[in-house]
Structure formats: C-alpha cells, structure tokens
Amino acid sequence: MSKLPGPVPGVKPKLSLPYLPSDGLHAAILSRLPAWYQQQQQQQHGGRPRARSKSKILPPGVDNITNLQTSFSLWDGVRQLQRRNYTTWDLQYVFLAALSLFSLWISPPAPTIKLLAVMGSLWILLMPATGQFFRPSMMIWIWLLYFFSSRFIPYDYRPHIWVRVLPALENVLYGANLSNILSAHQHPILDILAWLPYGIIHFAAPLACSIAMFIFAAPGTTPVFAKAFGWMSILGVTIQLCFPCTPPWYENEHGLTPAEYGMPGSPAGLARLDAIFGFDLYTTNFTNAPLPFGAFPSLHAANAVLEALFMSHCFPQFRVAFSLYAAWVWWATMYLSHHYAVDLVGGGLIAAIFFYYARARYLPRRQEGKLLRWEYEFVEIGHAAELFDEERDGSYFRAGQLSQRRESSSDGWTLGSGSSWTSGSGTLSPTTPTSSSEGFEAQAGWYAKPEPREIELSEVFSSR
C-alpha cells in the first residue's frame, strides 16, 4: 500500500486527496466556505462570481456608460423594442397606457387633437435620441394628463367629501390646528417668503434637480428620480380622488358644513399675493382647480421631501440645505392655508417610501471623487449590503450591484430608458470595465478595508 507523501521542509503543506478529482474537491469544499472565498476561487479559476440574486446577461459591445443615443430614426426605436427582453415589470406600461386612454376618454371630445397628441407622443418615445429622456419621465406627463382630466369625472361616480376628518386628526395628533396658528399672523414679507417655495420654486424644482443629477450624479440617477416622482404623483392624485378631503381654507370660509362637488376652489393665502402684485396670478387658477378637495396627501410636501432625499443622496454635503428647503415648503403650505399638518406628514411618508425603495433596488450609488457623470467608468446599483465575514474578525464588507448602459433592457427603473444590465446583489464590484469580442467583462474586487489576505485552501479547510 503506497504512502502519502510527507511534508517538505520550508514548504507550506496543502491538502491533497488523491481519491477525489480536483473538480469534485472544489465542489465539495467551496460550498462550505464563506462567500468571499468562493468568489475569489472562482475568479482565479476563470469562473464568474456567483450572484446572490438574479443577474442579467452582459451585453456585447458595451464601452461607455455615459454615452447618449443620437439616432432620430423611428425604426431604430422599433428594433430596440424587438430586441428587448420583456418581464412582468413591463406591465407598468400597460397600466400607464390604460390610464392615458382613460384620461383622454373622459376629457371633452376633440378627436383630431387627441389623435395628433397620441401619434406625436409615440413618435417622441420611439426615437432613441428623444426617447432616452422622455421614456423615464413618461410617468410625469401621464400624471399631469391624469390630474387635469380628473375634473371631468362625473360627480355620480365620486365618493363622499370628508370635511371633519382632517381637522379632527389635526387636533388629535397635535392638539391644535397648526395651519390656523401659523396663518394667524400675516405680513407682506411673510407672504412673499411663503409664495417663493409654494408658487415658484415648487414648479421649477423638479427640472432643476433633474438637470443637476444628470450632470453631476452617477449615470442613471435622473431616470430613477423621474420615475419615482411620476409614480408618487399618480398615487397621490388617486388617493385624493378616492379620499377627497377639504383643506384649511374651506374650514376658514365655510366652517364644517358639508361640501359638494362643483363648488369653486380658493387661492386662500395666495390671493394676498395677487393683491401685492396687482394682477390675477393665482385667483382664477385655484378657483377652477381640478381637485379643490385634494387636501390629503399634500403633493407639495411630497415633492419637496422626494427632491430633498434624492439630492441629499447625490450631494450629501448639502443635506442640511435640502432639509431646510423641505421645511420651508411645509411651512408655506400651512401659512397659506392650503394644507393641514397631517396632509404634509402623509405626503412626506409616501415620498420617503418611494425614495428608499428606489435607493435599495434601482438608484446608482455615488462614488467619491467623481464630480461629473462623464467621470464614471462603472455604476453600482442599489443600497450597499453589509455582509458579516467570520473570517475577518467580525468586520463588514460592502458588495454592490453593477450596472451598464446598453440599447435595450428589461429593467424599467434603471439607467436611461430602462437600458442597463445588473448583476445580482452580493456580487463583487468592478475595478475597470474592459471590452472584448466576446462581450463586456468586469474585473471584480472588494472595495473595503482591510483588504482580504491571501489564504491557502488547506488553511481554511483545516481551520474547520
């Protein structure tokens, strides 16, 4: 019977099991080792790191995640749709199409204008050069159509208008009507301070935030922001339609008498701005508002919170300024008697839910030292997971998801018009992207300290 070879002086002993093939040895042992070591061994043997969740195939020919599409050919967009890998997540576009058709159907008859609008929208969405910007913001345009068309919903199909619910909640939660307290002391200077965020900045902030994120944040941030903003607004309008409530100005003007559909809205405190400026800027618009009883939730508050959270994610050094802006909007809505405090809390909670869900699943992570989007060589998607490594004395290592721009994809939330690939959560982050004839390969490495030390397979096996 042959003896196993003994240890050689000066050479570290390694585990040797001649009765097991090498492939079987790796399969038997690696399945019991920590995830970081499995990935390290697979890379050394030419294998791909194993993802913890579903991963997408890396597309061939990817070279730069900051490239923008420049084709104005409609057929290029059609070919992209043909090559797209469709998933159940794409059912969102079926819902959006149905919501658009519903909004057009209830609006006054104008078949020629509606047909031209639909054809023009499809043309803009299909052309790659324009679609890469308008597809992610499609939810915002549909929300605007949905909001302004909601006035044409027949009153017979609308629910009861709640007059006492919000004032009662205000007193129960805060012990007083905060809106009436803040608006009790009025002054032209305070009117101007409230008008700036409520009547001016509120409408310009989404575009300003989108431009700032597009230039200075990681590639793919702006599409995620636009989609979160649009879906949040659609949900807000739906809640306002299903749960109509009177705002503070109604209580100030009509008391707690029952409200009826068809009653005009009110500019409330904004009427003082019209008196200051000497012309009708808000009175007519708010009197004929599509949803005069859409107090809960406050989309003014929700928009401010969502913008503050996204901008704080991209520019954490200005987090205090963004928080102060959100607080400024909240004060203005109550000072102008347009919302109760409970409306603001409801809108803020909805915005926070959309942001943290988007950050965990779709939002590109900020990289230190990168000022412009064109400086990014790779993108990590989602919130960094903390993995406990018992081989590192309890230290934590972060592993993110990867993303890259391509012409077609099945992901509706990630880069551009849903054009990206991602590896599953828990995969290793890349160091530098390289292209080859076989496709795009990302060389992975840990971005954490301390760096993993080299370790022999025999050491790990024997330590068990």
Side-chain angles (χ1 to χ4, degrees), residues 31-44:
S31 61
R32 302 180 61 85
L33 300 183
W36 66 267
Y37 191 79
Q38 297 180 37
Q39 294 163 341
Q40 185 184 64
Q41 291 295 313
Q42 289 168 352
Q43 290 181 67
Q44 292 177 358

Side-chain angles (χ1 to χ4, degrees), residues 84-272:
R84 181 183 177 90
N85 296 323
Y86 292 94
T87 64
T88 54
W89 180 247
D90 291 312
L91 291 176
Q92 64 175 313
Y93 299 107
V94 177
F95 172 80
L96 292 173
L99 185 61
S100 302
L101 294 176
F102 168 76
S103 301
L104 293 174
W105 178 63
I106 63 175
S107 59
T112 303
I113 296 177
K114 293 179 181 180
L115 180 62
L116 292 176
V118 171
M119 293 179 61
S121 300
L122 292 176
W123 191 281
I124 291 175
L125 292 174
L126 285 177
M127 286 191 301
T130 56
Q132 63 187 332
F133 298 107
F134 283 92
R135 280 194 295 269
S137 62
M138 177 171 39
M139 295 77 180
I140 298 178
W141 303 109
I142 294 176
W143 156 61
L144 291 174
L145 175 64
Y146 179 40
F147 172 72
F148 286 105
S149 300
S150 61
R151 71 173 72 208
F152 303 111
I153 298 177
Y155 298 156
D156 296 338
Y157 296 96
R158 298 196 182 192
H160 171 74
I161 301 174
W162 298 94
V163 177
R164 301 175 181 268
V165 171
L166 296 183
L169 287 176
E170 192 87 350
N171 288 309
V172 170
L173 296 177
Y174 311 112
N177 189 324
L178 298 183
S179 176
N180 288 343
I181 293 176
L182 293 177
S183 61
H185 304 284
Q186 301 170 2
H187 191 276
I189 295 180
L190 294 178
D191 294 340
I192 297 295
L193 290 177
W195 163 69
L196 288 175
Y198 193 87
I200 299 296
I201 302 177
H202 166 75
F203 300 100
L207 178 60
C209 293
S210 298
I211 294 175
M213 293 178 195
F214 179 79
I215 297 176
F216 299 104
T221 302
T222 303
V224 177
F225 168 72
K227 293 177 180 180
F229 188 96
W231 278 114
M232 178 194 69
S233 301
I234 291 174
L235 176 62
V237 171
T238 303
I239 295 176
Q240 292 171 356
L241 286 171
C242 298
F243 182 58
C245 298
T246 55
W249 60 259
Y250 183 89
E251 183 182 1
N252 297 336
E253 297 178 9
H254 305 282
L256 298 178
T257 59
E260 297 180 359
Y261 290 108
M263 298 179 64
S266 172
L270 290 176
R272 300 193 296 270

Side-chain angles (χ1 to χ4, degrees), residues 38-40 42-43 47-52 55 426-428 442 444:
Q38 297 180 37
Q39 294 163 341
Q40 185 184 64
Q42 289 168 352
Q43 290 181 67
R48 290 182 56 187
R50 190 184 310 172
R52 289 192 167 208
S55 61
T427 57
L428 299 177

